[in-house]
Amino acid sequence: MAILDVKDIRKRFGSTEVLKGISFSLERGQVLSLIGSSGSGKTTLLRCLNFLETPDTGSVAVNGEVIFDAAEHAALKEAEIRRRRLHFGLVFQSFNLFPQYTALENVTLAGRLLMKEEPDYRTRKKELTAQLEERARALLVRMGLADRMENYPHQLSGGQQQRVAIARAMALQPDILCFDEPTSALDPELTHEVLRVLRSLAEEHTTMIIVTHEMAFARDVSSRVIFMDDGQVVEDGPPEQVLGAPVQERTRRFLESYRQ
Amino acid sequence: MNLMLQQFPVVFQALNVGFLQTLKLFLVTGLGAIPLGLVIAFGSMSRFKPLSALTRLVIWVVRGTPLMIQLLIIYYFPGIELHNNWWGGGESGRFLASSIAFIFNYACYFSEIYRGGIQSIPKGQQEAGLVLGMTRGQIFYKVTLLQVIKRIVPPMSNEIITLVKDTALARIIALQEIIWAGQSFMRGSHGISGAIWPLFFTAVYYLLFNGVVTLALGQLEKRLDYFR
């Protein structure tokens, strides 16, 4: 069964239709790169999956459970939306770390707040907190930030901040990890260290959707590439096909602009 | 000069009593207007249009008219026009009316500072909280609030220093604050009359107290310096 099933997502802002019926599905462990020029709707699609935008039509199912259905969404309670959105993690282009918290606190904050909703929170507070911290530390170590845990965001480089953000998104163990142009705000050297982390996550079969302009990286790391243009999926397939031997004329033209 | 030295102990004591009333008005206004300002700020940012329009109208009127006139209206209107002095007589009535006028007036100014501070926080902070499953309340208290406080300390310091001096306006309804106490030696009080130096001397109180306020707010600014 597919881990993710997206059906006929449409989204309009005012009079412009940004997504014109997007459908695709994703298998567990797949790494999907979303490519396309600016304004093609990639970021909007990612934001729809994370409930930062509400699609006008369509549905999203994770592991067979419908987590979004445009027809019933308005009736949902906030608590239910919060629970459902945790199937996804999102890493932003501009990191969006919380400046007043250390790297470690950034990773643990949401978990700490969610913990309070556990029925046995009062009696197990210490134990739960310890588990949470241990997991957060392990994640930061995996991100190569063992000696940066107590630093505040402004004391970290862009690449380090983005790696903290990745750890923060992973802390709640989402089924699917989304990245919105994770390296666009970084210079080439720092880009490299973030891509290295993404590659290692791919090798561990983390299910990921990555909006990216790094074609070499997309070819190398993804198991699947979707090329979007004008709010539609133009081409969908393995990287060798979409990036190596595209069938569609529009894909070819897009890729040529990268070679020049 | 000699005369001044002779008068000083008596004047000093009277001014201290007046300053206590000034200080009380300052503290009550601060304690009332700082939270009330937040309520007004949320009102003016409300997505419910009638509420935000009404709130902005009130802010416009309160900021657009002199505090002195607001004091006069609030204190005298009930007694003279409604024939029912809600405030009660005497100094406690004057203090109550002054407090209401000051709290409301300053809350309107504070609300605009809060609104600016809240709106200056990048949207990405809220979005990051949302995708991590936080509630809007948690995002406000755990993520946004401290960042807002950090940004509004400098403009709030300005307003708070102005408030220290604005308390003198309560003199217009004869609240016995320090200006009133200083002036009383001109017409005659405690056996001293025709002395204007006590009125001038009240400036020293304001200056020293604002020194303390400036230091305290500077400390707060420093304590929030650990993040950017």
Side-chain angles (χ1 to χ4, degrees):
Chain A
M1 186 179 54
I3 190 169
L4 175 66
D5 223 332
V6 176
K7 281 203 190 103
D8 193 37
I9 294 287
R10 287 168 192 273
K11 176 69 185 174
R12 145 191 303 285
F13 291 114
S15 59
T16 27
E17 193 167 32
V18 181
L19 298 176
K20 299 176 176 168
I22 303 281
S23 300
F24 68 94
S25 63
L26 197 65
E27 299 300 319
R28 180 176 295 280
Q30 271 192 334
V31 177
L32 167 67
S33 288
L34 279 178
I35 61 168
S37 45
S38 315
S40 60
K42 315 174 298 278
T43 293
T44 305
L45 175 60
L46 214 55
R47 289 172 61 85
C48 284
L49 294 179
N50 284 278
F51 297 0
L52 289 176
E53 306 290 352
T54 311
D56 303 322
T57 65
S59 68
V60 177
V62 175
N63 288 322
E65 179 202 352
V66 176
I67 64 161
F68 173 83
D69 185 336
E72 54 124 55
H73 192 75
L76 283 184
K77 293 219 160 60
E78 196 198 318
E80 181 58 21
I81 294 174
R82 281 172 49 223
R83 190 188 66 78
R84 292 183 181 191
R85 77 188 327 156
L86 291 179
H87 287 291
F88 291 93
L90 177 60
V91 175
F92 298 87
Q93 179 179 346
S94 51
F95 330 136
N96 296 348
L97 291 181
F98 306 132
Q100 72 268 45
Y101 294 114
T102 63
L104 184 63
E105 289 166 342
N106 262 280
V107 179
T108 55
L109 178 66
R112 248 180 241 282
L113 296 172
L114 279 171
M115 211 164 71
K116 292 185 185 166
E117 292 169 28
E118 299 277 317
D120 49 356
Y121 170 66
R122 272 157 189 269
T123 47
R124 296 179 56 213
K125 186 176 174 185
K126 263 204 172 135
E127 184 196 337
L128 290 170
T129 312
Q131 281 173 6
L132 193 70
E133 267 208 12
E134 198 182 330
R135 255 210 330 271
R137 284 179 191 279
L139 276 171
L140 286 167
V141 170
R142 251 171 92 186
M143 296 296 133
L145 295 167
D147 54 347
R148 290 283 181 220
M149 298 194 196
E150 306 303 329
N151 286 121
Y152 289 94
H154 78 270
Q155 299 166 320
L156 301 173
S157 73
Q160 289 168 333
Q161 288 190 50
Q162 192 58 303
R163 285 182 282 150
V164 174
I166 295 171
R168 181 176 69 173
M170 292 176 70
L172 298 175
Q173 298 165 305
D175 296 304
I176 300 155
L177 206 47
C178 302
F179 297 82
D180 183 12
E181 303 191 23
T183 58
S184 295
L186 301 173
D187 60 41
E189 208 175 326
L190 300 177
T191 295
H192 188 70
E193 67 184 53
V194 170
L195 293 184
R196 203 164 49 215
V197 167
L198 292 187
R199 183 166 295 146
S200 78
L201 291 177
E203 279 159 10
E204 292 158 32
H205 304 292
T206 312
T207 313
M208 296 191 277
I209 302 177
I210 307 170
V211 169
T212 185
H213 290 291
E214 300 280 336
M215 291 306 144
F217 169 79
R219 177 192 279 259
D220 220 37
V221 171
S222 13
S223 39
R224 177 111 168 264
V225 177
I226 285 180
F227 169 65
M228 279 179 69
D229 190 35
D230 194 25
Q232 287 166 317
V233 172
V234 174
E235 197 150 353
D236 177 355
E240 308 81 59
Q241 180 211 315
V242 179
L243 299 172
V247 180
Q248 301 291 331
E249 175 59 29
R250 270 195 283 178
T251 319
R252 237 171 285 162
R253 260 191 320 217
F254 171 74
L255 291 172
E256 252 160 42
S257 68
Y258 272 85
R259 287 199 199 99
Q260 281 155 9
Chain B
M1 192 69 202
N2 226 346
L3 186 63
M4 250 176 80
L5 282 177
Q6 267 174 26
Q7 293 170 339
F8 191 80
V10 176
V11 170
F12 184 60
Q13 195 165 12
L15 291 185
N16 284 348
V17 172
F19 185 65
L20 202 66
Q21 194 70 319
T22 295
L23 197 62
K24 252 171 68 188
L25 183 58
F26 167 76
L27 290 175
V28 165
T29 305
L31 288 177
I34 285 173
L36 181 62
L38 195 59
V39 175
I40 297 175
F42 283 132
S44 70
M45 288 187 292
S46 169
R47 266 173 286 183
F48 181 58
K49 282 272 150 31
L51 178 62
S52 64
L54 180 71
T55 313
R56 285 174 194 220
L57 179 74
V58 170
I59 293 173
W60 172 60
V61 171
V62 171
R63 292 200 310 171
T65 55
L67 175 54
M68 188 184 277
I69 291 176
Q70 293 166 18
L71 268 163
L72 289 169
I73 292 174
I74 286 178
Y75 184 58
Y76 289 115
F77 188 80
I80 292 174
E81 297 295 328
L82 307 176
H83 307 292
N84 174 15
N85 184 9
W86 314 328
W87 309 118
E91 183 70 359
S92 69
R94 290 189 288 267
F95 184 78
L96 188 61
S98 308
S99 302
I100 304 287
F102 271 85
I103 287 173
F104 205 65
N105 182 281
Y106 268 82
C108 286
Y109 280 96
F110 290 168
S111 80
E112 286 294 279
I113 294 177
Y114 295 160
R115 188 168 66 86
I118 291 170
Q119 288 175 343
S120 75
I121 305 299
K123 214 162 180 275
Q125 291 289 306
Q126 192 189 355
E127 291 183 346
L130 284 175
V131 297
L132 290 166
M134 295 186 201
T135 64
R136 287 184 186 270
Q138 287 170 339
I139 292 169
F140 181 73
Y141 286 108
K142 300 286 179 180
V143 175
T144 317
L145 186 61
L146 197 63
Q147 297 181 49
V148 172
I149 291 174
K150 183 183 169 77
R151 286 179 200 208
I152 65 174
V153 169
M156 284 293 281
S157 302
N158 248 335
E159 284 301 317
I160 290 170
I161 286 167
T162 304
L163 170 61
V164 171
K165 296 169 294 178
D166 269 4
T167 54
L169 288 170
R171 166 70 190 86
I172 200 71
I173 58 167
L175 183 78
Q176 296 172 16
E177 43 68 73
I178 190 168
I179 297 284
W180 181 91
Q183 246 182 346
S184 67
F185 293 102
M186 290 169 70
R187 39 168 215 275
S189 171
H190 299 82
I192 299 170
S193 64
I196 198 168
W197 74 265
L199 181 59
F200 295 167
F201 190 73
T202 60
V204 175
Y205 282 79
Y206 289 107
L207 189 62
L208 289 180
F209 186 61
N210 265 331
V212 174
V213 168
T214 305
L215 284 177
L217 289 166
Q219 277 300 316
L220 178 62
E221 214 175 319
K222 233 187 222 160
R223 294 234 353 225
L224 292 173
D225 219 24
Y226 72 93
F227 72 90
R228 246 164 249 160

PDB file of all heavy atoms in Angstrom, chain B residues 204-226:
ATOM      1  N   VAL B 204      13.430  67.516  40.274  1.00  0.00           N
ATOM      2  CA  VAL B 204      14.479  66.599  40.731  1.00  0.00           C
ATOM      3  C   VAL B 204      13.901  65.203  40.982  1.00  0.00           C
ATOM      4  O   VAL B 204      14.512  64.191  40.647  1.00  0.00           O
ATOM      5  CB  VAL B 204      15.150  67.150  42.016  1.00  0.00           C
ATOM      6  CG1 VAL B 204      16.166  66.155  42.567  1.00  0.00           C
ATOM      7  CG2 VAL B 204      15.813  68.495  41.732  1.00  0.00           C
ATOM      8  N   TYR B 205      12.698  65.165  41.545  1.00  0.00           N
ATOM      9  CA  TYR B 205      12.049  63.868  41.803  1.00  0.00           C
ATOM     10  C   TYR B 205      11.832  63.103  40.501  1.00  0.00           C
ATOM     11  O   TYR B 205      12.142  61.929  40.377  1.00  0.00           O
ATOM     12  CB  TYR B 205      10.700  64.070  42.488  1.00  0.00           C
ATOM     13  CG  TYR B 205      10.802  64.384  43.968  1.00  0.00           C
ATOM     14  CD1 TYR B 205      11.130  65.663  44.413  1.00  0.00           C
ATOM     15  CD2 TYR B 205      10.550  63.391  44.915  1.00  0.00           C
ATOM     16  CE1 TYR B 205      11.205  65.945  45.758  1.00  0.00           C
ATOM     17  CE2 TYR B 205      10.622  63.666  46.266  1.00  0.00           C
ATOM     18  CZ  TYR B 205      10.954  64.948  46.684  1.00  0.00           C
ATOM     19  OH  TYR B 205      11.019  65.218  48.012  1.00  0.00           O
ATOM     20  N   TYR B 206      11.248  63.832  39.517  1.00  0.00           N
ATOM     21  CA  TYR B 206      10.984  63.170  38.228  1.00  0.00           C
ATOM     22  C   TYR B 206      12.279  62.657  37.609  1.00  0.00           C
ATOM     23  O   TYR B 206      12.357  61.535  37.109  1.00  0.00           O
ATOM     24  CB  TYR B 206      10.315  64.148  37.240  1.00  0.00           C
ATOM     25  CG  TYR B 206       8.894  64.484  37.603  1.00  0.00           C
ATOM     26  CD1 TYR B 206       8.569  65.740  38.113  1.00  0.00           C
ATOM     27  CD2 TYR B 206       7.873  63.560  37.419  1.00  0.00           C
ATOM     28  CE1 TYR B 206       7.264  66.055  38.443  1.00  0.00           C
ATOM     29  CE2 TYR B 206       6.563  63.871  37.738  1.00  0.00           C
ATOM     30  CZ  TYR B 206       6.260  65.115  38.248  1.00  0.00           C
ATOM     31  OH  TYR B 206       4.965  65.421  38.569  1.00  0.00           O
ATOM     32  N   LEU B 207      13.297  63.512  37.682  1.00  0.00           N
ATOM     33  CA  LEU B 207      14.567  63.166  37.043  1.00  0.00           C
ATOM     34  C   LEU B 207      15.167  61.917  37.683  1.00  0.00           C
ATOM     35  O   LEU B 207      15.578  60.981  36.992  1.00  0.00           O
ATOM     36  CB  LEU B 207      15.534  64.348  37.155  1.00  0.00           C
ATOM     37  CG  LEU B 207      16.819  64.208  36.341  1.00  0.00           C
ATOM     38  CD1 LEU B 207      16.497  64.102  34.867  1.00  0.00           C
ATOM     39  CD2 LEU B 207      17.736  65.411  36.600  1.00  0.00           C
ATOM     40  N   LEU B 208      15.186  61.912  39.040  1.00  0.00           N
ATOM     41  CA  LEU B 208      15.777  60.754  39.725  1.00  0.00           C
ATOM     42  C   LEU B 208      14.966  59.495  39.452  1.00  0.00           C
ATOM     43  O   LEU B 208      15.519  58.430  39.165  1.00  0.00           O
ATOM     44  CB  LEU B 208      15.858  61.009  41.238  1.00  0.00           C
ATOM     45  CG  LEU B 208      16.906  62.049  41.658  1.00  0.00           C
ATOM     46  CD1 LEU B 208      16.895  62.231  43.178  1.00  0.00           C
ATOM     47  CD2 LEU B 208      18.297  61.638  41.196  1.00  0.00           C
ATOM     48  N   PHE B 209      13.641  59.641  39.528  1.00  0.00           N
ATOM     49  CA  PHE B 209      12.820  58.447  39.334  1.00  0.00           C
ATOM     50  C   PHE B 209      12.965  57.913  37.909  1.00  0.00           C
ATOM     51  O   PHE B 209      13.069  56.702  37.701  1.00  0.00           O
ATOM     52  CB  PHE B 209      11.342  58.736  39.648  1.00  0.00           C
ATOM     53  CG  PHE B 209      10.494  57.500  39.604  1.00  0.00           C
ATOM     54  CD1 PHE B 209      10.749  56.438  40.468  1.00  0.00           C
ATOM     55  CD2 PHE B 209       9.472  57.371  38.681  1.00  0.00           C
ATOM     56  CE1 PHE B 209       9.996  55.272  40.415  1.00  0.00           C
ATOM     57  CE2 PHE B 209       8.710  56.207  38.619  1.00  0.00           C
ATOM     58  CZ  PHE B 209       8.977  55.162  39.486  1.00  0.00           C
ATOM     59  N   ASN B 210      13.023  58.806  36.943  1.00  0.00           N
ATOM     60  CA  ASN B 210      13.219  58.336  35.575  1.00  0.00           C
ATOM     61  C   ASN B 210      14.592  57.701  35.387  1.00  0.00           C
ATOM     62  O   ASN B 210      14.759  56.826  34.532  1.00  0.00           O
ATOM     63  CB  ASN B 210      13.013  59.471  34.569  1.00  0.00           C
ATOM     64  CG  ASN B 210      11.593  59.474  34.030  1.00  0.00           C
ATOM     65  OD1 ASN B 210      10.958  58.418  33.966  1.00  0.00           O
ATOM     66  ND2 ASN B 210      11.092  60.636  33.659  1.00  0.00           N
ATOM     67  N   GLY B 211      15.554  58.147  36.198  1.00  0.00           N
ATOM     68  CA  GLY B 211      16.871  57.478  36.167  1.00  0.00           C
ATOM     69  C   GLY B 211      16.720  56.017  36.556  1.00  0.00           C
ATOM     70  O   GLY B 211      17.240  55.119  35.891  1.00  0.00           O
ATOM     71  N   VAL B 212      15.964  55.790  37.637  1.00  0.00           N
ATOM     72  CA  VAL B 212      15.749  54.413  38.105  1.00  0.00           C
ATOM     73  C   VAL B 212      15.023  53.593  37.036  1.00  0.00           C
ATOM     74  O   VAL B 212      15.397  52.463  36.714  1.00  0.00           O
ATOM     75  CB  VAL B 212      14.926  54.414  39.425  1.00  0.00           C
ATOM     76  CG1 VAL B 212      14.557  52.996  39.843  1.00  0.00           C
ATOM     77  CG2 VAL B 212      15.708  55.118  40.522  1.00  0.00           C
ATOM     78  N   VAL B 213      13.967  54.204  36.459  1.00  0.00           N
ATOM     79  CA  VAL B 213      13.184  53.498  35.429  1.00  0.00           C
ATOM     80  C   VAL B 213      14.079  53.145  34.237  1.00  0.00           C
ATOM     81  O   VAL B 213      14.039  52.031  33.710  1.00  0.00           O
ATOM     82  CB  VAL B 213      11.986  54.378  34.968  1.00  0.00           C
ATOM     83  CG1 VAL B 213      11.334  53.811  33.718  1.00  0.00           C
ATOM     84  CG2 VAL B 213      10.966  54.487  36.096  1.00  0.00           C
ATOM     85  N   THR B 214      14.903  54.101  33.817  1.00  0.00           N
ATOM     86  CA  THR B 214      15.787  53.868  32.674  1.00  0.00           C
ATOM     87  C   THR B 214      16.743  52.714  32.947  1.00  0.00           C
ATOM     88  O   THR B 214      16.953  51.848  32.090  1.00  0.00           O
ATOM     89  CB  THR B 214      16.594  55.148  32.356  1.00  0.00           C
ATOM     90  OG1 THR B 214      15.673  56.213  32.157  1.00  0.00           O
ATOM     91  CG2 THR B 214      17.433  54.972  31.110  1.00  0.00           C
ATOM     92  N   LEU B 215      17.306  52.702  34.172  1.00  0.00           N
ATOM     93  CA  LEU B 215      18.226  51.617  34.523  1.00  0.00           C
ATOM     94  C   LEU B 215      17.518  50.264  34.490  1.00  0.00           C
ATOM     95  O   LEU B 215      18.025  49.290  33.948  1.00  0.00           O
ATOM     96  CB  LEU B 215      18.819  51.841  35.918  1.00  0.00           C
ATOM     97  CG  LEU B 215      19.912  52.907  36.017  1.00  0.00           C
ATOM     98  CD1 LEU B 215      20.351  53.083  37.466  1.00  0.00           C
ATOM     99  CD2 LEU B 215      21.110  52.517  35.146  1.00  0.00           C
ATOM    100  N   ALA B 216      16.309  50.227  35.077  1.00  0.00           N
ATOM    101  CA  ALA B 216      15.571  48.958  35.149  1.00  0.00           C
ATOM    102  C   ALA B 216      15.246  48.433  33.752  1.00  0.00           C
ATOM    103  O   ALA B 216      15.439  47.257  33.446  1.00  0.00           O
ATOM    104  CB  ALA B 216      14.288  49.138  35.957  1.00  0.00           C
ATOM    105  N   LEU B 217      14.785  49.334  32.878  1.00  0.00           N
ATOM    106  CA  LEU B 217      14.427  48.895  31.521  1.00  0.00           C
ATOM    107  C   LEU B 217      15.677  48.512  30.725  1.00  0.00           C
ATOM    108  O   LEU B 217      15.642  47.603  29.900  1.00  0.00           O
ATOM    109  CB  LEU B 217      13.627  49.982  30.805  1.00  0.00           C
ATOM    110  CG  LEU B 217      12.216  50.172  31.359  1.00  0.00           C
ATOM    111  CD1 LEU B 217      11.587  51.470  30.862  1.00  0.00           C
ATOM    112  CD2 LEU B 217      11.334  48.983  30.990  1.00  0.00           C
ATOM    113  N   GLY B 218      16.790  49.210  31.030  1.00  0.00           N
ATOM    114  CA  GLY B 218      18.055  48.837  30.390  1.00  0.00           C
ATOM    115  C   GLY B 218      18.466  47.426  30.768  1.00  0.00           C
ATOM    116  O   GLY B 218      18.941  46.649  29.941  1.00  0.00           O
ATOM    117  N   GLN B 219      18.237  47.098  32.059  1.00  0.00           N
ATOM    118  CA  GLN B 219      18.539  45.739  32.536  1.00  0.00           C
ATOM    119  C   GLN B 219      17.715  44.700  31.792  1.00  0.00           C
ATOM    120  O   GLN B 219      18.223  43.667  31.372  1.00  0.00           O
ATOM    121  CB  GLN B 219      18.231  45.614  34.041  1.00  0.00           C
ATOM    122  CG  GLN B 219      19.336  46.114  34.940  1.00  0.00           C
ATOM    123  CD  GLN B 219      20.624  45.351  34.712  1.00  0.00           C
ATOM    124  OE1 GLN B 219      20.644  44.136  34.602  1.00  0.00           O
ATOM    125  NE2 GLN B 219      21.728  46.091  34.600  1.00  0.00           N
ATOM    126  N   LEU B 220      16.420  45.021  31.642  1.00  0.00           N
ATOM    127  CA  LEU B 220      15.525  44.095  30.947  1.00  0.00           C
ATOM    128  C   LEU B 220      16.012  43.878  29.515  1.00  0.00           C
ATOM    129  O   LEU B 220      16.066  42.751  29.015  1.00  0.00           O
ATOM    130  CB  LEU B 220      14.093  44.654  30.955  1.00  0.00           C
ATOM    131  CG  LEU B 220      13.042  43.817  30.214  1.00  0.00           C
ATOM    132  CD1 LEU B 220      12.888  42.441  30.846  1.00  0.00           C
ATOM    133  CD2 LEU B 220      11.693  44.532  30.191  1.00  0.00           C
ATOM    134  N   GLU B 221      16.402  44.975  28.872  1.00  0.00           N
ATOM    135  CA  GLU B 221      16.890  44.881  27.498  1.00  0.00           C
ATOM    136  C   GLU B 221      18.120  43.973  27.449  1.00  0.00           C
ATOM    137  O   GLU B 221      18.266  43.161  26.541  1.00  0.00           O
ATOM    138  CB  GLU B 221      17.225  46.284  26.997  1.00  0.00           C
ATOM    139  CG  GLU B 221      16.944  46.465  25.526  1.00  0.00           C
ATOM    140  CD  GLU B 221      17.158  47.898  25.062  1.00  0.00           C
ATOM    141  OE1 GLU B 221      16.773  48.837  25.795  1.00  0.00           O
ATOM    142  OE2 GLU B 221      17.716  48.076  23.973  1.00  0.00           O
ATOM    143  N   LYS B 222      18.993  44.132  28.440  1.00  0.00           N
ATOM    144  CA  LYS B 222      20.214  43.324  28.477  1.00  0.00           C
ATOM    145  C   LYS B 222      19.883  41.849  28.674  1.00  0.00           C
ATOM    146  O   LYS B 222      20.500  40.978  28.086  1.00  0.00           O
ATOM    147  CB  LYS B 222      21.085  43.808  29.642  1.00  0.00           C
ATOM    148  CG  LYS B 222      22.507  44.144  29.206  1.00  0.00           C
ATOM    149  CD  LYS B 222      23.362  44.445  30.411  1.00  0.00           C
ATOM    150  CE  LYS B 222      24.257  45.644  30.129  1.00  0.00           C
ATOM    151  NZ  LYS B 222      24.735  46.240  31.387  1.00  0.00           N
ATOM    152  N   ARG B 223      18.906  41.582  29.540  1.00  0.00           N
ATOM    153  CA  ARG B 223      18.541  40.181  29.815  1.00  0.00           C
ATOM    154  C   ARG B 223      17.985  39.480  28.590  1.00  0.00           C
ATOM    155  O   ARG B 223      18.020  38.257  28.508  1.00  0.00           O
ATOM    156  CB  ARG B 223      17.494  40.106  30.950  1.00  0.00           C
ATOM    157  CG  ARG B 223      18.033  40.556  32.264  1.00  0.00           C
ATOM    158  CD  ARG B 223      17.876  39.587  33.428  1.00  0.00           C
ATOM    159  NE  ARG B 223      17.098  38.377  33.242  1.00  0.00           N
ATOM    160  CZ  ARG B 223      16.222  37.956  34.107  1.00  0.00           C
ATOM    161  NH1 ARG B 223      15.937  38.667  35.160  1.00  0.00           N
ATOM    162  NH2 ARG B 223      15.613  36.805  33.912  1.00  0.00           N
ATOM    163  N   LEU B 224      17.446  40.264  27.661  1.00  0.00           N
ATOM    164  CA  LEU B 224      16.886  39.658  26.448  1.00  0.00           C
ATOM    165  C   LEU B 224      17.891  39.684  25.298  1.00  0.00           C
ATOM    166  O   LEU B 224      17.548  39.402  24.159  1.00  0.00           O
ATOM    167  CB  LEU B 224      15.611  40.402  26.041  1.00  0.00           C
ATOM    168  CG  LEU B 224      14.437  40.234  26.991  1.00  0.00           C
ATOM    169  CD1 LEU B 224      13.285  41.146  26.600  1.00  0.00           C
ATOM    170  CD2 LEU B 224      13.976  38.769  27.018  1.00  0.00           C
ATOM    171  N   ASP B 225      19.135  39.984  25.637  1.00  0.00           N
ATOM    172  CA  ASP B 225      20.164  40.119  24.616  1.00  0.00           C
ATOM    173  C   ASP B 225      20.722  38.782  24.167  1.00  0.00           C
ATOM    174  O   ASP B 225      21.491  38.710  23.229  1.00  0.00           O
ATOM    175  CB  ASP B 225      21.295  40.971  25.203  1.00  0.00           C
ATOM    176  CG  ASP B 225      21.840  41.917  24.163  1.00  0.00           C
ATOM    177  OD1 ASP B 225      21.105  42.227  23.222  1.00  0.00           O
ATOM    178  OD2 ASP B 225      23.006  42.329  24.310  1.00  0.00           O
ATOM    179  N   TYR B 226      20.318  37.693  24.848  1.00  0.00           N
ATOM    180  CA  TYR B 226      20.942  36.407  24.564  1.00  0.00           C
ATOM    181  C   TYR B 226      20.476  35.789  23.252  1.00  0.00           C
ATOM    182  O   TYR B 226      21.060  34.847  22.768  1.00  0.00           O
ATOM    183  CB  TYR B 226      20.707  35.412  25.710  1.00  0.00           C
ATOM    184  CG  TYR B 226      19.297  34.886  25.827  1.00  0.00           C
ATOM    185  CD1 TYR B 226      18.948  33.687  25.191  1.00  0.00           C
ATOM    186  CD2 TYR B 226      18.328  35.544  26.548  1.00  0.00           C
ATOM    187  CE1 TYR B 226      17.659  33.194  25.272  1.00  0.00           C
ATOM    188  CE2 TYR B 226      17.037  35.073  26.634  1.00  0.00           C
ATOM    189  CZ  TYR B 226      16.713  33.900  26.003  1.00  0.00           C
ATOM    190  OH  TYR B 226      15.446  33.406  26.073  1.00  0.00           O
TER     191      TYR B 226
END
